[in-house]
Amino acid sequence: MTTPTADEQYATGLRGQWHPVVPSSFVAPGAMRKVTVLGEQWLLFRRSDGALSMLADRCPHRGAPLSLGKHLGDRVACWYHGVEVETDGTVSSVPGLPGCNLEGKKLVVSLPVREVAGAVLAYFGTEQQPEPVELTLPEPLTDPDIDAFLCYAEWDVPWRYAVENLLDPMHGAFLHHDSHTMFEGDTTAKFRIRETDRGYFFEKTDQRGVNFDWVELCRTGVDWVDLSIPYPPSAGPGGPFGIVGMVRPVDAERCAVFFWRYRKVQGWQRDSWRFLYKTLIEERHWAVLEQDRVMLEAMPADADQRENLYQHDLGVVRLRRLYRAGAGAQAAPAG
């Protein structure tokens, strides 16, 4: 894989970190799935024993897509000439010419993968950092006292816009005003950035616990956001409703969003929460998410080039600086 320029990385996603790929359920045992991540084509391959691997979707012989090939249990055979590639990217057989010098060589890029809370994460390296960086998972996804549901959607939106939307709490008071949880609170506010050792909070200074009043950007080997939305007693036990959000860059115009919707509940309260969520609350959450999708997909491609920002946009400006600096540090030299 060639190293992208700074502009290409800013458009298609940063390397040198982990990214979510798809929900684990999208790749059943004995199945394959083609995915596009950071503007590149990949093949997710799950053996019949459940082990998952991720290969560049490119046969080392003539470049044909391996995703069109045949699943052979522990390897894939290219449809074009039958070349067989193991899950670590090693060519195991060239049926047309046994003993060919391709055999035994690792010629296909294979990425480190982990499955977390129902989703596949993969590490996309750089020349400077080819080995996986340390991955610290979001606490709400590892705490046994927290129960979460994963929501996944694909949007025709640049990945940055989807992340920026999460770093913009004020839109909740307007775009989502008619939702079941964000109809209360002031429609005026002031914000501040509060730095942490893993990112920063962007939060209202004059309101807490009423609406979408704060968000935390966390950079822990994978980029994710955490936020909390107050819930009325009618929504059952568990207190505030939390969301862990991640975004997968597909290419310069598309992304996939992952939202784990969670509450801290145990015992019978967990059962009650899960029942209420599936029978009542989930549909409402999809309606809120659809409002975000409609708004973001309607924005012009150059929306971030013709803006007039104000104090509420400090979180977005901070985010752009982080990503611009990261893309520049990882990029290939111009030309």
Side-chain angles (χ1 to χ4, degrees):
M1 301 292 174
T2 58
T3 302
T5 66
D7 285 344
E8 289 170 341
Q9 289 213 46
Y10 191 67
T12 61
L14 271 62
R15 278 67 174 171
Q17 65 183 64
W18 295 78
H19 285 281
V21 182
V22 292
S24 293
S25 60
F26 281 24
V27 194
M32 303 190 299
R33 185 181 184 96
K34 179 175 183 173
V35 293
T36 304
V37 192
L38 283 67
E40 299 169 343
Q41 307 300 312
W42 298 91
L43 173 66
L44 284 167
F45 181 99
R46 196 184 292 278
R47 297 188 325 206
S48 56
D49 64 3
L52 184 72
S53 62
M54 189 165 175
L55 299 169
D57 191 20
R58 185 182 180 90
C59 178
H61 173 218
R62 294 279 303 280
L66 291 172
S67 57
L68 292 179
K70 185 177 182 180
H71 194 301
L72 297 180
D74 60 352
R75 62 200 188 283
V76 58
C78 180
W79 191 19
Y80 202 12
H81 297 94
V83 173
E84 298 177 9
V85 179
E86 297 179 6
T87 55
D88 68 348
T90 300
V91 176
S92 59
S93 174
V94 180
L97 186 62
C100 169
N101 64 2
L102 272 65
E103 294 182 348
K105 293 182 179 178
K106 189 173 181 179
L107 299 176
V108 179
V109 175
S110 176
L111 298 184
V113 294
R114 287 185 62 178
E115 295 191 73
V116 177
V120 177
L121 303 185
Y123 177 72
F124 295 80
T126 64
E127 291 182 6
Q128 304 97 320
Q129 186 65 56
E131 296 302 316
V133 298
E134 182 179 355
L135 174 61
T136 301
L137 299 172
E139 297 91 338
L141 303 187
T142 59
D143 186 337
D145 291 335
I146 290 178
D147 192 61
F149 291 91
L150 172 59
C151 165
Y152 172 83
E154 298 179 7
W155 291 351
D156 293 329
V157 173
W159 70 278
R160 305 183 316 281
Y161 290 9
V163 183
E164 290 173 4
N165 184 64
L166 291 168
L167 268 294
D168 174 20
M170 201 64 205
H171 85 268
F174 295 92
L175 181 62
H176 305 314
H177 178 74
D178 295 329
S179 74
H180 64 298
T181 56
M182 287 183 272
F183 56 89
E184 294 184 340
D186 291 336
T187 54
T188 60
K190 290 194 176 180
F191 286 84
R192 68 177 179 181
I193 289 176
R194 179 159 54 92
E195 302 287 346
T196 70
D197 59 359
R198 62 183 187 180
Y200 64 90
F201 280 91
F202 187 55
E203 57 193 3
K204 295 177 182 176
T205 61
D206 44 8
Q207 179 176 288
R208 193 80 166 193
V210 179
N211 199 319
F212 175 15
D213 296 333
W214 62 270
V215 62
E216 182 186 10
L217 173 72
C218 305
R219 311 197 74 197
T220 62
V222 60
D223 285 2
W224 56 283
V225 299
D226 189 23
L227 60 96
S228 177
I229 298 174
Y231 251 31
S234 60
F241 170 77
I243 298 176
V244 166
M246 297 182 190
V247 177
R248 164 170 61 97
V250 174
D251 52 32
E253 291 83 32
R254 298 176 296 156
C255 69
V257 293
F258 296 71
F259 293 109
W260 285 267
R261 297 156 166 172
Y262 70 85
R263 294 181 90 177
K264 192 162 189 175
V265 282
Q266 303 88 35
W268 69 267
Q269 292 187 336
R270 176 171 295 201
D271 295 336
S272 177
W273 146 246
R274 293 187 68 85
F275 176 78
L276 278 170
Y277 183 84
K278 297 305 292 185
T279 58
L280 178 66
I281 301 171
E282 184 175 25
E283 183 179 355
R284 296 174 177 177
H285 289 165
W286 275 109
V288 172
L289 196 61
E290 182 67 2
Q291 291 171 342
D292 286 320
R293 184 195 65 79
V294 169
M295 179 58 66
L296 294 176
E297 288 189 351
M299 292 173 65
D302 64 348
D304 59 349
Q305 304 301 311
R306 300 185 181 186
E307 299 173 317
N308 295 279
L309 305 180
Y310 53 91
Q311 200 264 352
H312 289 184
D313 304 308
L314 288 173
V316 170
V317 172
R318 178 81 168 84
L319 182 75
R320 291 175 181 175
R321 288 174 178 168
L322 277 176
Y323 285 151
R324 276 290 185 190
Q330 298 174 6

